[in-house]
Amino acid sequence: MNRRPEDWPDVARAGVGTVVITVRHTEGPPQQREVAVAAEAERRKEAWPPGLLGWSLFTGTDGRALLAYEQWSDDAALDAALAAPEPYLPGIPGTEPATPVRYRLARSYPGGAPGQTPGCLVTPVFDTDGPERQRHFLDTLFAMAGDDATRDVGQLPGALCAHFHLSADGTRVLGFAEWTDEAAHLAAVGAQDTAASRQRLTGEIPGVRPSGHHRWHPHTALTA
């Protein structure tokens, strides 16, 4: 198993059919760091089950949250790992295990300038009333970008790309947006020229409800 030199997962890598995203919370920065270091060490030393292609860990800029992003070949591989004599536990080792929340990468668009590297992840989440609302939401989002699907992202300084994941149960859309740094995203959120688009996106689509977003720094990205 190798550690990716850029410490960032290849979200669009070939062969990924299932994504598991897990969020856990700690009591503060010292525990956040302790749990992150221990979780990485555990993932490095343990045997990975067939079909687990990548595991990445992010630490919340709030000093408390942790996010694990797992890439699997398909549901069958994950199911086999969960049913093994010594079951694989998805998520963040050392924290409470839970039933994995499965996602599919649905659509992506790039942005930013050549040579820019990500340093901050932003994950907006939207609750949705079923698969049809998930698809409608993405169609609306991409239609807002016009004929050039990279335009809206590229015009925001520091925005690099965005990948949209649909939960397999139809209840959620999660954005995986790569930014150069936290300051760039904070500036974009406060920009007046994006206020109208944000309002339309978050408040005017029936069956879709925004449930907030978090910012993260990369801790590690491991690949099989």
Side-chain angles (χ1 to χ4, degrees):
M1 190 189 314
N2 298 316
R3 183 170 180 169
R4 296 180 62 84
E6 68 271 27
D7 288 341
W8 198 272
D10 179 4
V11 176
R13 69 179 290 177
V16 175
T18 300
V19 173
V20 174
I21 299 174
T22 305
V23 174
R24 292 289 181 267
H25 297 275
T26 65
E27 295 179 357
Q31 188 187 31
Q32 181 196 55
R33 176 66 181 173
E34 179 182 345
V35 173
V37 170
E40 177 188 354
E42 180 63 23
R43 281 288 186 256
R44 281 182 173 273
K45 75 178 183 180
E46 68 184 2
W48 278 19
L52 177 57
L53 305 178
W55 179 86
S56 303
L57 187 65
F58 294 83
T59 55
T61 60
D62 62 359
R64 295 178 180 274
L66 294 163
L67 179 146
Y69 184 88
E70 294 182 49
Q71 296 169 300
W72 291 80
S73 58
D74 52 33
D75 281 334
L78 175 57
D79 290 337
L82 296 173
E86 295 185 10
Y88 172 85
L89 298 179
I92 304 171
T95 66
E96 182 179 0
T99 302
V101 180
R102 306 182 192 212
Y103 289 86
R104 311 282 187 266
L105 176 61
R107 297 180 71 173
S108 304
Y109 54 62
Q116 291 181 310
T117 57
C120 179
L121 168 66
V122 181
T123 55
V125 178
F126 302 85
D127 294 332
T128 53
D129 294 341
E132 189 277 334
R133 290 291 89 188
Q134 288 179 319
R135 293 189 295 270
H136 176 70
F137 173 72
L138 288 191
D139 288 344
T140 302
L141 174 63
F142 277 76
M144 288 172 62
D147 293 333
D148 181 359
T150 70
R151 184 179 61 196
D152 283 3
V153 174
Q155 287 181 343
L156 298 177
L160 302 182
C161 59
H163 308 276
F164 293 91
H165 299 67
L166 307 182
S167 65
D169 63 4
T171 64
R172 200 172 308 166
V173 174
L174 183 142
F176 188 107
E178 301 177 17
W179 290 73
T180 54
D181 53 43
E182 183 181 16
H185 181 255
L186 288 169
V189 169
Q192 290 298 316
D193 58 354
T194 63
S197 293
R198 290 201 310 274
Q199 175 58 33
R200 177 184 170 190
L201 181 64
T202 60
E204 299 180 5
I205 303 177
V208 179
R209 296 165 297 279
S211 58
H213 66 269
H214 287 85
R215 286 180 288 267
W216 314 86
H217 289 147
H219 177 77
T220 192
L222 304 177
T223 183

